[in-house]
Amino acid sequence: MFSRLVLLFSLLFVPATQGFAQIPMGEASTAKEGLDIGVSTNEIAITSDFRGADLTVFGAMTNADELLLAIGNYDIIVTLEGPRDYSTVRKKERIFGIWINTDSMIFEQVPESYSIASTRQLDDPTQLPPINTAGVGIEHLALNPIGYIRDVGELSDFREAYRRLKLSSGLYQKEASGVRFVSSSLFRASLRLPANVPDGVHIVRAYLFKSGTLLTQREIPLRVVKTGLEQAITDAAHNQPFAYGLVCVLIALVTGWGASIVFRKD
Amino acid sequence: MWIKHLHALFTRHVRHFPTTAPDKRPIACRMRLFCFALSGSTVTIYLPIAELSVNIFIILGMGAAVGFLSGMFGVGGGFLITPLLIFYNIPPVVAVATGANQVVASSVSGAITHFRRGTLDMKLGTVLLAGGLVGATVGVWIFSWLRSIGQLDLFISLLYVILLTTIGLLMLQESLRAMRKAKLNQPLPLRRPGQHNWVHRLPLKMRFKKSKIYLSAIPVVTLGFLIGILTSIMGVGGGFIMVPAMIYLLRIPTNVVVGTSLFQIIFVTAYTTMVQAATNYSVDIVLAFILMVAGVIGAQYGVRVGQKLRGEQLRALLALLVLAVGIRLAIGLFIRPQDLYSVAVGGIGY
């Protein structure tokens, strides 16, 4: 852990000193801004008492223009994207008094979970310059339906419902002020992983914006794994379903049989 | 009327359940302790297949409560466990498959008792089972198909509403009539099952020695088949329907009915558990184990309370309970959902 921290800080400060070396030459505007990030951990374990987890992402801007930095023209967005899969959204309608799923739409390869933290409010139009590039943010995630769509208005309804449901389930999260500058170029982002976070490889992405335009981005994989017994059970259930089913039945038989012995009167 | 029989049969077998070394504290006191333990703590446990964290005490409480009721009323409890799990936000897919697994445990001890006492017709049970296994296979197909078109939750709820309200109303009517009669001190007229009906004119007759009956295999296999479908779609054992059908439709002697149905239930629920595990990966062993352990313990206390109550009062209570669960599910179907949309991970044919 300590060695990792040392590594992280050397990572942060070495490019920064290089940057300073160039500033006195009066060429700060031509040097390209860079971004480096590090994560507090690269693996999150889902244990039997898992109730969600916090993830801290550290990062540093390099070659930042001091003036633009001072007036807050740089923006940083950090996202944590879950594994991608197809997603089906269904809509209920009332038929004979009963609410029945009548319509559905399948979106291709969308992240199962998505957390976003940023230096300022993303969808606030009063704050300039606006940031909405590169598909960053829950509102800009690509939601491409599969198959024939009869009605475009319907499509936007389904997209809107998808985002709303994901947000309310906690799988999608936005933290407007989740990114804080620790010093002029060093920042820290806090992301929250919900208790129902899917396991698999997640991707931490950091984006650097200058005056609302995307300059550069960095990404680091983060593995979310079920540990110990949970992992063994999930693996068994999916890889050896027959043996798993057999064990389930045997446990039930032994429990029932055991109870009839334990609670026998004689 | 059939319910009276059913109850008498069930209680007979349940009362044979021996009870634990007596805990001298009154039951109410122990219940209070239990409730205290329930309210104060939030120890979560992660269910690996359902993929969510739950409060272990709520699951234990559910298992114990259903076990208690199943001991008290002499029923399997699958029809209560599955809706309760659904109310507690366990995905219906997991609730049904896990419910079937739990029924295996709760039926085993009863079946052992009947086997020892010789009130189990193996041959009849095997014929029922043959139908049951086919039914369960078809049921799992229907289950997977309904899941892929997004109508599974609705279908499970609908089946439960229909079954629970019908049975609940029948039982309530019967027990109220019995209570009125008991008040007037009239002896209950015990209607003897008639000797023959259309079922007995069917071909393919077989002799079942233990039951001392000569009966066509067709209605037996059909009954097993239908119960098998219910097992895999609803996660119940189906004794609730099978026992009265065996008595009143097939005219099987009442002394072998419960044992034989339990025999069929064990194998069909075990088979359903296997098939669900293999096709839908939806049996949660952690959830099932907690329910089983709590259930078998709860049943012991339930039996004792059941012995103190009068038969018709007991049946009226059970009827009200069954009705309440059915109505609760029905309300869920009719009121406008908070959100008309729902999201599921996966695309076509998941």
Side-chain angles (χ1 to χ4, degrees):
Chain A
M1 192 63 211
F2 181 72
S3 63
R4 201 181 288 164
L5 271 178
V6 171
L7 186 77
L8 175 69
F9 276 94
S10 61
L11 196 78
L12 301 183
F13 291 115
V14 169
T17 46
Q18 284 170 351
F20 278 121
Q22 290 168 348
I23 288 171
M25 306 298 288
E27 290 172 350
S29 54
T30 58
K32 193 154 166 48
E33 289 91 338
L35 186 66
D36 286 301
I37 54 167
V39 188
S40 53
T41 175
N42 50 25
E43 187 173 291
I44 286 185
I46 301 182
T47 50
S48 58
D49 57 350
F50 186 73
R51 285 196 203 176
D54 287 305
L55 180 75
T56 306
V57 180
F58 297 104
M61 270 159 60
T62 54
N63 289 345
D65 187 311
E66 293 291 336
L67 182 66
L68 288 178
L69 200 60
I71 60 166
N73 246 9
Y74 284 111
D75 280 295
I76 286 158
I77 298 177
V78 179
T79 64
L80 177 66
E81 219 182 276
R84 285 173 177 261
D85 200 347
Y86 290 92
S87 202
T88 308
V89 180
R90 297 199 172 89
K91 187 188 174 188
K92 283 193 171 68
E93 262 174 65
R94 186 171 233 158
I95 294 174
F96 301 119
I98 296 174
W99 291 92
I100 296 176
N101 284 328
T102 49
D103 210 351
S104 72
M105 199 172 280
I106 301 168
F107 293 118
E108 63 178 17
Q109 301 297 334
V110 279
E112 281 178 56
S113 64
Y114 193 90
S115 302
I116 183 163
S118 51
T119 39
R120 61 184 166 105
Q121 199 81 37
L122 281 179
D123 34 14
D124 187 352
T126 60
Q127 288 193 339
L128 286 170
I131 314 167
N132 51 6
T133 43
V136 183
I138 293 163
E139 303 306 317
H140 304 287
L141 270 180
L143 290 174
N144 299 321
I146 299 180
Y148 174 68
I149 304 300
R150 277 157 292 167
D151 185 355
V152 182
E154 201 177 44
L155 175 61
S156 64
D157 282 350
F158 273 91
R159 282 181 171 154
E160 195 255 324
Y162 176 83
R163 294 193 181 100
R164 184 180 65 238
L165 286 163
K166 284 290 202 178
L167 278 168
S168 66
S169 72
L171 280 168
Y172 281 21
Q173 294 186 3
K174 43 185 168 184
E175 190 71 52
S177 54
V179 181
R180 295 210 176 278
F181 277 99
V182 183
S183 72
S184 63
S185 63
L186 194 65
F187 64 86
R188 193 182 68 194
S190 315
L191 293 166
R192 174 93 193 137
L193 279 79
N196 51 352
V197 67
D199 60 324
V201 177
H202 293 234
I203 295 169
V204 180
R205 282 205 180 87
Y207 302 86
L208 173 63
F209 291 86
K210 184 167 133 187
S211 312
T213 334
L214 179 66
L215 276 183
T216 182
Q217 70 177 74
R218 283 279 180 280
E219 56 184 61
I220 297 180
L222 173 79
R223 291 193 301 140
V224 175
V225 289
K226 293 180 181 175
T227 52
L229 192 61
E230 284 72 31
Q231 180 61 46
I233 291 172
T234 315
D235 281 351
H238 287 270
N239 302 334
Q240 271 112 26
F242 190 77
Y244 174 81
L246 200 64
V247 170
C248 291
V249 170
L250 283 178
I251 288 177
L253 289 175
V254 170
T255 311
W257 179 64
S260 76
I261 290 174
V262 170
F263 296 112
R264 190 188 287 174
K265 214 179 251 167
D266 47 56
Chain B
M1 177 47 76
W2 54 264
I3 293 153
K4 184 177 165 48
H5 255 288
L6 172 64
H7 171 77
L9 284 165
F10 272 132
T11 23
R12 206 180 302 152
H13 103 76
V14 171
R15 285 194 181 154
H16 244 256
F17 264 80
T19 42
T20 37
D23 181 346
K24 292 298 180 197
R25 275 175 295 179
I27 282 175
C29 166
R30 264 172 281 148
M31 290 290 274
R32 227 173 296 139
L33 278 174
F34 180 65
C35 291
F36 176 72
L38 262 182
S39 60
S41 32
T42 48
V43 179
T44 57
I45 184 160
Y46 184 77
L47 304 178
I49 304 298
E51 298 197 311
L52 47 89
S53 292
V54 292
N55 184 340
I56 188 167
F57 290 105
I58 290 184
I59 300 290
L60 275 173
M62 245 181 227
V66 172
F68 183 84
L69 293 170
S70 69
M72 188 156 123
F73 298 119
V75 290
F79 72 99
L80 289 173
I81 276 284
T82 310
L84 278 179
L85 289 176
I86 295 171
F87 294 155
Y88 191 50
N89 285 332
I90 306 284
V93 185
V94 177
V96 167
T98 308
N101 193 13
Q102 192 264 346
V103 175
V104 178
S106 64
S107 308
V108 166
S109 37
I112 291 175
T113 315
H114 281 278
F115 185 75
R116 285 209 197 102
R117 293 192 344 226
T119 47
L120 196 165
D121 188 332
M122 280 284 195
K123 190 176 174 189
L124 180 64
T126 312
V127 177
L128 265 177
L129 182 56
L133 295 183
V134 179
T137 312
V138 172
V140 173
W141 282 341
I142 300 174
F143 188 90
S144 303
W145 175 70
L146 285 170
R147 193 183 173 193
S148 71
I149 60 164
Q151 303 296 357
L152 181 66
D153 301 8
L154 170 79
F155 199 75
I156 292 174
S157 295
L158 267 180
L159 267 183
Y160 267 107
V161 168
I162 294 167
L163 217 71
L164 295 181
T165 46
T166 312
I167 291 179
L169 283 174
L170 281 172
M171 287 177 83
L172 191 64
Q173 185 195 18
E174 189 276 333
S175 57
L176 287 179
R177 196 183 300 142
M179 277 157 102
R180 216 166 26 237
K181 287 249 170 73
K183 206 184 255 175
L184 297 173
N185 268 332
Q186 283 175 0
L188 286 167
L190 245 173
R191 189 180 56 181
R192 293 293 308 160
Q195 288 307 303
H196 287 281
N197 56 11
W198 60 271
V199 169
H200 295 258
R201 287 192 292 274
L202 291 169
L204 276 174
K205 290 209 167 188
M206 290 173 83
R207 194 169 295 283
F208 299 100
K209 281 203 187 99
K210 193 132 216 167
S211 312
K212 300 190 185 76
I213 195 169
Y214 186 57
L215 181 67
S216 163
I218 296 171
V220 181
V221 172
T222 312
L223 178 63
F225 178 80
L226 294 176
I227 299 296
I229 291 182
L230 289 188
T231 300
S232 49
I233 297 182
M234 302 174 72
V236 296
F240 234 69
I241 298 163
M242 189 154 46
V243 170
M246 282 164 88
I247 296 174
Y248 291 99
L249 217 61
L250 306 182
R251 306 277 195 246
I252 293 164
T254 48
N255 60 326
V256 295
V257 162
V258 172
T260 309
S261 72
L262 280 173
F263 171 84
Q264 195 261 8
I265 287 169
I266 289 173
F267 285 96
V268 173
T269 49
Y271 174 78
T272 306
T273 307
M274 301 273 292
V275 178
Q276 289 282 21
T279 53
N280 290 311
Y281 312 112
S282 51
V283 182
D284 197 308
I285 185 68
V286 175
L287 179 60
F289 187 67
I290 299 171
L291 290 176
M292 281 173 207
V293 172
V296 292
I297 295 170
Q300 302 303 320
Y301 292 101
V303 172
R304 272 190 258 171
V305 174
Q307 283 164 342
K308 289 180 191 142
L309 287 171
R310 293 184 51 176
E312 53 267 25
Q313 292 170 338
L314 212 56
R315 290 201 302 283
L317 273 177
L318 178 60
L320 288 175
L321 181 80
V322 168
L323 267 180
V325 176
I327 290 168
R328 168 67 179 76
L329 279 168
I331 290 171
L333 289 176
F334 286 104
I335 56 162
R336 186 188 169 87
Q338 279 192 329
D339 202 317
L340 295 183
Y341 292 87
S342 60
V343 174
V345 174
I348 314 152
Y350 59 88

